[in-house]
Amino acid sequence: MRMGELAARAGISRDTIRFYEKVGLVTGRRLANGYRDFPPETLPWLHYVRTAQALGFSLAQIARHGEELRDQPDTAQALSALFEEKIQVIDARMAELAALRAELAARAGTGCPLRPARPPARPRG
């Protein structure tokens, strides 16, 4: 399928497909007239890529995991494991953000919010 048709059916731009091709997410072949031609399985793969991005996976993660998933006997189980890992990352990040929010809230309204939380200890002498 040519790039224009693929872009229209996938709901993405030709530039996006070109970028994905540049980074190795999709592969097309050049026809004699210079047009790119993509195999039919590229369309569901692009839907997978867009969904994975919406779920917070980077293009590098998608490329790496896509290759791993193709070799898995049970793709659904492998995807569930990836989602569990992503949930753990999100939970850790949420805890970091909550701590950061608490620190900002504690400093808001103070004389100089950029001073260290505790003044440095004075040397005794």
Side-chain angles (χ1 to χ4, degrees), residues 28-104:
R29 64 181 177 93
R30 289 277 185 177
L31 301 175
N33 60 9
Y35 292 144
R36 288 180 178 95
D37 186 54
F38 295 89
E41 61 270 11
T42 306
L43 183 60
W45 171 246
L46 288 175
H47 289 290
Y48 170 84
V49 169
R50 301 303 282 186
T51 301
Q53 279 187 296
L55 292 172
F57 291 91
S58 70
L59 291 178
Q61 290 171 321
I62 294 167
R64 183 176 64 249
H65 295 308
E67 291 176 15
E68 293 170 3
L69 290 172
R70 287 186 192 117
D71 298 332
Q72 295 294 321
D74 185 350
T75 304
Q77 184 179 6
L79 276 173
S80 291
L82 287 175
F83 291 173
E84 289 296 328
E85 289 175 22
K86 189 69 170 176
I87 290 168
Q88 290 175 0
V89 169
I90 291 169
D91 287 345
R93 184 66 178 137
M94 287 174 61
E96 291 171 5
L97 289 171
L100 176 59
R101 185 187 189 292
E103 180 72 19
L104 290 170

